[in-house]
Every structure is written in C-alpha cells, then in structure tokens.
C-alpha cells in the first residue's frame, strides 16, 4: 500500500486511559500533538459517540469512527487506508478479545503499527488500552478477578497474548484498566507472574490506570491527568515468582510499586518518578495474598 504523506511528529506520544469516563485533557493533548487533520477512532461494535465529542473539543479538521467487527472487515483495503491516513488514532473500549480475534494478522494491525512507527499519536481506553502493551490480557475466555488470578495463575480464564503492537516504551510491559474501581492490583501482578514464568523473563513491568484517569507519554516523560483522586501505578519485578504453578496460590516477592498522583511526572526510560522521594514501595504476594503495605500507601487490591 502506498504510504500516506504526513508531517510526522518528532517523538512518539501515547494516551493510556483507564476507562469509565473520557478525559477531556487527554484528548485535547492528542489533538495538539497531531497538528490537526483527521482524528480516527476504531472499535469492533457500532458506536459513533466520539465523533461529535472530539470535534467539539476543536483543533481537528475531521473526526471519523471506523467499526471493524470482523476479520473480513479488517481485510478491506478502504479500512486500512483510512487508518493510515490518520493524524491521531484512538482505540475505543469494548472487548479486547474482539480486537485480537478480528484485527490481528490483518491490514488493520499493520496500519496501526504503521502509524506508531511514524510517531502519530495513539491512545486507547479500557479494552483499547489493554492492547497497547507488548503483553496483554486477551480476555478470550472471559474476564477474571483478582482473587481467582492469585489463587491459580494458570486459571483457564487467565489468557495472555503478546505483540499485537510493538510500541516505544512498552517492551516487556502489560497494561491494566479500571485499576481502582475493579481492584486489579493483584490481577495485574498475577499477569506479570505468568509472563515472567512462561518466558523465564524477570524484568516484566506493569502499568495500571485508574478509572477516569489518563497517562500522557512523550519524550520519555509521562504525566497523569483526569479525576483529582485518580492515579497510575508502575510495577516492576525483581526476579521470577517463587511459586507460579497450575492450581497453586501465587507467591511472588519484592515487587516495586510507584504511584503517580497529582502533577507528578514519570520517566519511562529509567522507570522512575521525577522530582519525588520515597517513591518506591515493596509489595509481595504470599500464598495468593497481597502482603500489607505501609500505612502511608494504600493499594487498590
């Protein structure tokens, strides 16, 4: 397919939106990074709710939504062409298993990667956020809660995939949505344990984003926007799990957790908060239970 002529941004930029509410500031930021032009939203189920919403924010010459509900639709040259022509791309919420089932290994997947490789701003909310990491919870057999994931990290509903996209900053990373309202700290750690165990990979990382909250990333720096009480959690492991086996509770020691709140900043390259002290907290899972953190820090279990 012939390449689209763009004045591409000099650096990659991403929006990770936790879900349940759109974050105006994040969309305005994407619009600014795009330089105007055409804002494209993609999803698998019929909805055009974003068209008027984004256009009313101003700054774009056009906004369009593409509903891609099958692999056949994802192979339509028109669809891939419209994605490649985007000046900003946003993946809406829904069910990430549909995105993987319908879009993976199709021109749609190639078109999204084409934009990413050329630094076109890309964002996602809820299921759209879930597919941005190198690793992902596929939800191909339905959802799973924290308790079940920690009690058995090889539960049949704990389904993982990888490399739907390869985005700058997200190597070895799995993302998690609705972090606070659905109490997903433990679930994310179970995902990380499986990734580490299955790949003999000790440097896995996780990013959890609260509902109504967004993380904006550019030039190595990430900032949090959205509801004042919302936070983003950066989790890193210091080795393989102690116990990560089928039908056995998980044990996983010495996970480092950094909570980004307010107007704090985070360096994606060094994986550390900027201008902050005492920002790293230790958390372990023992026999399928999260160990209590210091009283100064509360985890959304």
């Amino acid at each position: 397919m012939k390449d689209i002529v763009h004045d591409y941004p000099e650096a990659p930029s991403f929006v990770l939106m936790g879900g349940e509410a759109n974050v105006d500031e994040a969309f305005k930021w994407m619009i600014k990074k795009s330089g105007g032009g055409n804002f494209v939203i993609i999803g698998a189920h019929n909805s055009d709710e974003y068209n008027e919403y984004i256009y009313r924010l101003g700054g774009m010459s056009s906004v369009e939504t593409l509903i891609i509900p099958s692999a056949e639709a994802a192979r339509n040259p028109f669809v891939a062409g419209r994605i490649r022509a985007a000046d900003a791309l946003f993946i809406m919420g829904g069910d990430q298993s549909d995105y993987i089932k319908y879009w993976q290994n199709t021109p749609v997947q190639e078109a999204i990667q084409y934009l990413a490789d050329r630094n076109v701003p890309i964002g996602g909310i809820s299921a759209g956020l879930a597919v941005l990491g190198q690793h992902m919870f596929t939800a191909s057999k339905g959802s799973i809660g924290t308790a079940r994931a920690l009690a058995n990290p090889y539960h049949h509903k704990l389904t993982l995939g990888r490399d739907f996209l390869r985005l700058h900053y997200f190597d070895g990373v799995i993302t998690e949505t609705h972090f606070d309202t659905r109490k997903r700290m433990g679930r994310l750690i179970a995902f990380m344990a499986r990734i580490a165990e299955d790949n003999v990979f000790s440097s896995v990382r996780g990013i959890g984003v609260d509902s109504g909250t967004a993380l904006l990333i550019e030039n190595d720096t990430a900032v949090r926007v959205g509801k004042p009480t919302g936070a983003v959690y950066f989790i890193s492991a210091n080795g393989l799990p102690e116990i990560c086996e089928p039908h056995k509770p998980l044990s996983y020691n010495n996970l480092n957790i950094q909570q980004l709140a307010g107007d704090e900043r985070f360096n994606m390259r060094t994986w550390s908060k900027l201008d902050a002290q005492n920002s790293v907290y230790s958390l372990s899972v023992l026999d399928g239970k999260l160990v209590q953190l210091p009283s100064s820090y509360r985890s959304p279990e």
Side-chain angles (χ1 to χ4, degrees):
M1 182 177 290
K2 184 177 180 181
D3 289 350
I4 307 299
V5 177
H6 280 286
D7 290 326
Y8 292 111
E10 294 182 359
S13 55
F14 303 103
V15 167
L16 279 62
M17 201 173 298
E20 296 185 20
N22 294 319
V23 180
D24 291 357
E25 188 174 350
F27 281 105
K28 291 177 181 178
W29 185 84
M30 282 189 75
I31 290 169
K32 181 179 179 180
K33 298 303 174 185
S34 75
N38 189 34
F39 199 117
V40 175
I41 305 99
I42 58 175
H45 297 284
N46 193 30
S47 173
D48 60 0
E49 63 182 89
Y50 282 102
N51 286 359
E52 183 175 0
Y53 164 69
I54 293 175
Y55 194 75
R56 282 176 176 254
L57 294 175
M60 303 300 297
S61 61
S62 62
V63 181
E64 63 180 305
T65 296
L66 300 173
I67 303 304
I68 313 165
S70 66
E72 181 181 7
R75 290 191 290 268
N76 187 320
F78 172 82
V79 174
R82 294 310 301 160
I83 293 173
R84 284 174 173 253
D87 296 288
L89 181 77
F90 191 77
I91 306 174
M92 67 173 67
D95 185 338
Q96 62 260 38
S97 68
D98 289 337
Y99 300 161
I100 297 162
K101 178 171 57 179
Y102 299 149
W103 303 350
Q104 195 159 28
N105 301 317
T106 72
V108 163
Q109 181 185 26
E110 294 172 1
I112 301 171
Q113 189 65 53
Y114 170 88
L115 297 182
D117 292 343
R118 287 153 182 80
N119 297 336
V120 171
I122 294 176
I125 185 170
S126 192
L129 164 58
V131 299
L132 296 184
Q134 181 187 10
H135 300 272
M136 56 193 168
F137 172 57
T138 67
S140 61
K141 295 183 179 179
S143 189
I144 185 171
T146 282
R148 281 186 175 180
L150 291 177
N152 177 12
Y154 283 87
H155 191 283
H156 73 278
K157 286 190 174 183
L158 204 163
T159 54
L160 299 172
R162 59 177 293 166
D163 298 328
F164 179 73
L165 298 171
R166 293 301 300 266
L167 305 182
H168 193 60
Y169 305 122
F170 293 100
D171 283 349
V173 171
I174 183 167
T175 59
E176 181 66 285
T177 68
H178 305 282
F179 207 60
D180 53 347
T181 56
R182 301 187 187 179
K183 301 184 182 299
R184 285 180 167 172
M185 175 69 82
R187 190 176 91 149
L188 178 54
I189 290 172
F191 294 164
M192 293 172 61
R194 273 286 307 279
I195 294 165
E197 186 72 20
D198 293 350
N199 298 277
V200 194
F201 180 52
S202 61
S203 59
V204 63
R205 292 170 169 175
I207 300 175
V209 185
D210 282 351
S211 299
T213 305
L215 187 72
L216 317 181
I217 305 172
E218 186 188 37
N219 290 328
D220 294 342
T221 302
V223 296
R224 184 217 66 89
V225 296
K227 67 179 183 182
T229 57
V232 179
Y233 297 82
F234 297 85
I235 307 170
S236 56
N238 292 321
L240 297 174
E242 283 64 37
I243 300 175
C244 185
E245 301 176 22
H247 310 296
K248 290 186 178 181
L250 177 67
S251 287
Y252 199 7
N253 290 330
N254 299 321
L255 293 138
N256 291 329
I257 302 183
Q258 300 179 73
Q259 181 187 24
L260 194 70
D263 58 358
E264 295 173 329
R265 300 176 300 151
F266 191 86
N267 188 301
M268 297 293 295
R269 180 176 52 82
T270 64
W271 200 258
S272 60
K273 288 171 69 172
L274 299 169
D275 307 321
Q277 297 186 10
N278 301 319
S279 61
V280 180
Y281 302 83
S282 180
L283 175 62
S284 294
V285 179
L286 298 177
D287 197 29
K289 303 293 183 182
L290 290 175
V291 171
Q292 180 67 42
L293 288 165
S295 60
S296 61
Y297 177 82
R298 297 185 63 189
S299 163
E301 297 180 3

